[in-house]
């Protein structure tokens, strides 16, 4: 297949193969480990009967490829699990049962996912506004004090860890100045205003680092576009600088910004782990930290697969959007 449709199909097939490879790697890393996997999964307080039940559910007596097939089968068509007194069906995509709460991991993730998506999507809006705006202003004020100051700020933002930014914001904004309350998650459907108000600091903490990358990329793309012949032609005909920046130069710098935004969205899903833990938000990140602490392997595997899914999906969307913005990508 050729053309844009063929490019999308090829990218979709590549995405599916990548997700399959991730599932293999995650399964091998977490379930083919030294020691008694059933004992590790069940926990130190489990009785021998409980450990044996876990071993049966994980098919630990089967060859490795058979065990992985059962795992993959659960993702595709679901699986039945014995809870000791009854058999519970786990619908696809089934990621197993938590050995701490006996809750289906898929349901657990779906309950936590809205918090993480609220954090990442809100932060994405903030980093686009701050990053693109800063990059455009730096390119417009090239060689002046404004550009040097903004460049220093973006470099500092790139080098500062997210938990440092979050701690400073909480101490200054919530503690010293008392401008905002300490964040407590409120459902969007319950109170949209309080939802945004309580997520403002987490959005800023996650967005400031990403905004620095956007500022640098936008500035570089803008400077490259402003040096092209057609921009000099516009200036020769007396077109205003603001019109050149807003209608022509920014449009030329838009394609790499689209690609970076989709890529950063995927990485921000993983980076939200620190932000959620720092601010006490009940999302995937906080649940992942808890699952690691109590060695709840089904939950850890499920969370890692979901994060990997969003990273791969975001990269695929980035490629498609970049091809829409620049059709020359389809021909390569």
């Amino acid at each position: 297949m050729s053309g844009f449709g063929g490019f999308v199909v090829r990218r979709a097939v590549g995405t599916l193969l990548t997700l399959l490879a991730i599932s293999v790697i995650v399964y091998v890393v977490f379930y083919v480990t030294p020691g008694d996997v059933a004992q590790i999964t069940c926990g130190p307080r489990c009785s021998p009967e409980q450990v044996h039940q876990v071993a049966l559910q994980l098919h630990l007596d089967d060859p490795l490829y058979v065990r992985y097939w059962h795992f993959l089968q659960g993702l595709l068509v679901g699986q039945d699990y014995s809870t000791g007194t009854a058999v519970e069906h786990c619908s696809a995509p089934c990621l197993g049962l938590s050995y701490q709460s006996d809750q289906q991991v898929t349901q657990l993730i779906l309950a936590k996912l809205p918090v993480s998506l609220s954090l990442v999507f809100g932060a994405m809006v903030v980093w686009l506004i701050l990053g693109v705006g800063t990059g455009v202003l730096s390119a417009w004020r090239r060689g002046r004090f404004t550009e040097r100051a903004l460049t220093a700020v973006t470099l500092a933002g790139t080098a500062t860890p997210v938990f440092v930014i979050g701690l400073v914001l909480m101490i200054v904004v919530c503690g010293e100045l008392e401008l905002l309350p300490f964040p407590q998650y409120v459902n969007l459907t319950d109170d949209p205003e309080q939802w945004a108000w309580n997520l403002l600091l987490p959005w800023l903490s996650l967005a400031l680092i990403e905004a620095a990358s956007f500022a640098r990329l936008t500035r570089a793309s803008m400077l490259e576009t402003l040096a092209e012949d057609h921009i000099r032609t516009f200036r020769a005909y007396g077109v205003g600088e603001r019109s050149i920046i807003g209608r022509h130069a920014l449009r030329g710098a838009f394609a790499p910004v689209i690609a970076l935004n989709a890529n950063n969205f995927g990485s921000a899903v993983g980076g939200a782990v620190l932000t959620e833990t720092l601010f006490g938000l009940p999302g995937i990140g906080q649940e992942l930290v808890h699952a690691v602490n109590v060695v709840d392997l089904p939950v850890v595997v499920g969370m890692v697969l979901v994060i990997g899914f969003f990273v791969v999906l975001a990269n695929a969307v980035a490629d498609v959007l970049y091809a829409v913005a620049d059709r020359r990508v389809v021909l390569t």
Side-chain angles (χ1 to χ4, degrees):
M1 297 181 66
S2 60
F4 183 74
F7 172 80
V8 173
V9 171
R10 293 193 300 272
R11 195 63 186 89
V13 172
T15 300
L16 292 176
L17 293 176
T18 304
L19 290 173
L20 180 63
I22 289 176
S23 69
V24 173
I25 294 172
V26 170
Y27 185 85
V28 170
V29 168
F30 286 101
Y31 284 118
V32 185
T33 57
D36 190 342
V37 176
Q39 183 67 62
I40 295 173
T41 303
C42 190
R45 298 182 180 179
C46 287
S47 64
E49 292 78 12
Q50 290 173 315
V51 174
H52 179 66
Q53 184 67 31
V54 171
L56 291 177
Q57 291 183 3
L58 296 178
H59 305 280
L60 294 180
D61 294 331
D62 295 333
L64 177 60
Y65 67 90
V66 176
R67 292 158 57 186
Y68 173 72
W69 171 249
H70 284 293
F71 174 75
L72 191 61
Q73 189 178 33
L75 291 175
L76 298 177
V77 298
Q79 203 168 24
D80 292 331
Y81 285 91
S82 173
T83 59
T85 58
V87 176
E88 178 180 350
H89 179 71
C90 180
S91 301
C94 178
L95 295 167
L97 300 180
S98 167
Y99 290 109
Q100 297 295 321
S101 62
D102 288 331
Q103 185 179 0
Q104 292 187 17
V105 176
T106 305
Q107 296 178 355
L108 185 64
I109 292 175
L110 290 177
K112 305 291 184 180
L113 193 58
V115 181
S116 298
L117 292 181
S118 296
L119 173 62
V120 176
F121 273 110
M124 181 180 67
V125 174
V126 176
W127 78 53
L128 280 175
I129 294 174
L130 293 178
V132 174
T134 301
V136 171
L137 186 58
S138 296
W140 188 17
R141 298 295 182 180
R142 183 183 183 184
R144 302 181 184 180
F145 174 78
T146 302
E147 183 206 11
R148 291 192 290 270
L150 291 176
T151 301
V153 171
T154 55
L155 288 175
T158 304
T160 307
V162 63
F163 63 88
V164 173
I165 295 177
L167 283 174
V168 171
L169 286 176
M170 278 199 297
I171 293 173
V172 175
V173 178
C174 299
E176 297 295 332
L177 301 179
E178 298 183 355
L179 297 177
L180 291 173
F182 287 96
Q184 293 182 343
Y185 184 75
V186 177
N187 289 325
L188 174 62
T189 54
D190 294 340
D191 191 335
E193 182 179 353
Q194 288 299 318
W195 169 81
W197 198 246
N198 280 275
L199 284 175
L200 183 57
L201 282 186
W203 285 343
L204 287 173
S205 300
L206 188 59
L208 288 177
I209 295 178
E210 305 293 346
S213 301
F214 277 92
R216 297 174 66 185
L217 176 65
T218 304
R219 175 185 176 276
S221 300
M222 288 283 294
L223 291 177
E224 181 179 352
T225 305
L226 289 172
E228 293 180 355
D229 293 338
H230 69 282
I231 298 295
R232 288 196 291 267
T233 303
F234 288 139
R235 285 174 175 154
Y237 277 99
V239 178
E241 193 69 18
R242 291 186 179 181
S243 179
I244 291 175
I245 294 285
R247 298 182 57 184
H248 303 286
L250 186 58
R251 183 183 302 175
F254 196 56
V257 170
I258 291 176
L260 180 63
N261 184 59
N263 289 327
N264 282 21
F265 178 84
S267 62
V269 174
V273 173
L274 286 175
T275 308
E276 291 176 4
T277 304
L278 177 63
F279 289 98
L281 300 176
I284 287 180
Q286 191 181 58
E287 185 64 29
L288 177 59
V289 173
H290 172 72
V292 170
N293 289 334
V294 298
V295 200
D296 196 347
L297 281 185
V299 177
V300 174
V301 170
M303 297 289 182
V304 172
L305 282 177
V306 168
I307 293 174
F309 168 78
F310 277 106
V311 172
V312 173
L313 181 63
N315 279 274
V317 171
D319 289 345
V320 174
L321 291 178
Y322 197 92
V324 171
D326 187 353
R327 288 303 181 92
R328 292 173 297 179
V329 175
V330 178
L331 301 178
T332 59

